[in-house]
Amino acid sequence: MLSQEEERKLLHNAAPFLQDLMRFALSTGLRPGELFSLQWSNVDWENGVLNVFAAKTGKTRTVPLNAEARKILESWLLGRKNEHVFYNHGTGKPFVDLKAGFALACRKAEIEGVTWHTLRHTFASRLLDRGVDVVTVKELLGHSSITVTMRYTHTNLDSKKAAVANLESR
């Protein structure tokens, strides 16, 4: 999981197009393959959601768009040249793999052990830290079982104390 400071440094050291993809991943929790294959037909502007097909599970899930994700989509819509949401403006083709650019941003930011999947992990962990129930996080991530989602939960003594304090008589 990225700390707020690591996120700031990573975004600061990434190319502008990569910043957009990173911020979008942090706002939606999409898997890298889902991010790179996202098409405009998957964007439901009226309902403010993405309809994401997960090749990994073979299922489509609905992911609500927050203000940050919507702003990024609106920006990329202005330069739309094809059905893919995110694509290389030089070639017009969708991104396939941005590991090198991501790794360069990490090196410049002087952070280690961060991958595209870390952004997904950060999305899930932040939701859980803010009190979102694990079933909702499971559905947003498109996990097949709650067991998979449990990998994203972290022992948090403060959360446990607060939970137990809820039992106290008022």
Side-chain angles (χ1 to χ4, degrees):
M1 178 175 150
L2 284 175
S3 69
Q4 293 289 344
E5 178 61 16
E6 288 170 327
E7 176 185 342
R8 187 195 63 72
K9 286 171 46 179
L10 181 62
L11 292 172
H12 177 76
N13 286 285
F17 78 92
L18 203 50
Q19 291 173 16
D20 282 350
L21 272 76
M22 290 174 176
R23 288 180 13 247
F24 195 79
L26 287 164
S27 295
T28 61
L30 296 187
R31 294 176 177 98
E34 296 167 347
L35 184 67
F36 300 146
S37 64
L38 189 64
Q39 297 190 3
W40 289 110
S41 59
N42 302 124
V43 180
D44 180 344
W45 292 103
E46 188 175 323
N47 293 305
V49 299
L50 299 175
N51 294 303
V52 181
F53 176 75
K56 187 171 181 177
T57 63
K59 296 180 181 176
T60 300
R61 73 182 185 283
T62 302
V63 178
L65 295 168
N66 63 17
E68 175 81 358
R70 191 173 183 100
K71 180 177 151 190
I72 293 164
L73 287 177
E74 289 168 351
S75 173
W76 281 75
L77 183 62
L78 294 174
R80 179 181 174 178
K81 291 183 181 172
N82 58 48
E83 183 56 22
H84 290 278
V85 174
F86 301 112
Y87 60 91
N88 181 318
H89 286 282
T91 66
K93 297 184 189 256
F95 296 117
V96 177
D97 181 1
L98 295 172
K99 287 180 186 168
F102 194 97
L104 177 62
C106 288
R107 277 195 304 282
K108 286 180 172 180
E110 299 178 345
I111 55 177
E112 296 179 1
V114 175
T115 65
W116 277 105
H117 190 76
T118 306
L119 304 180
R120 182 169 161 84
H121 187 102
T122 301
F123 167 82
S125 296
R126 287 179 179 170
L127 289 175
L128 292 165
D129 287 347
R130 288 171 172 92
V132 176
D133 66 276
V134 72
V135 173
T136 299
V137 175
K138 170 199 169 290
E139 291 172 4
L140 287 169
L141 294 173
H143 286 158
S144 57
S145 75
I146 205 78
T147 306
V148 177
T149 311
M150 293 304 290
R151 292 186 222 154
Y152 295 84
T153 62
H154 305 283
T155 302
N156 181 328
L157 185 57
D158 290 337
S159 292
K160 289 178 183 178
K161 286 179 180 178
V164 174
N166 281 330
L167 297 175
E168 294 174 0
S169 59
R170 296 176 186 193

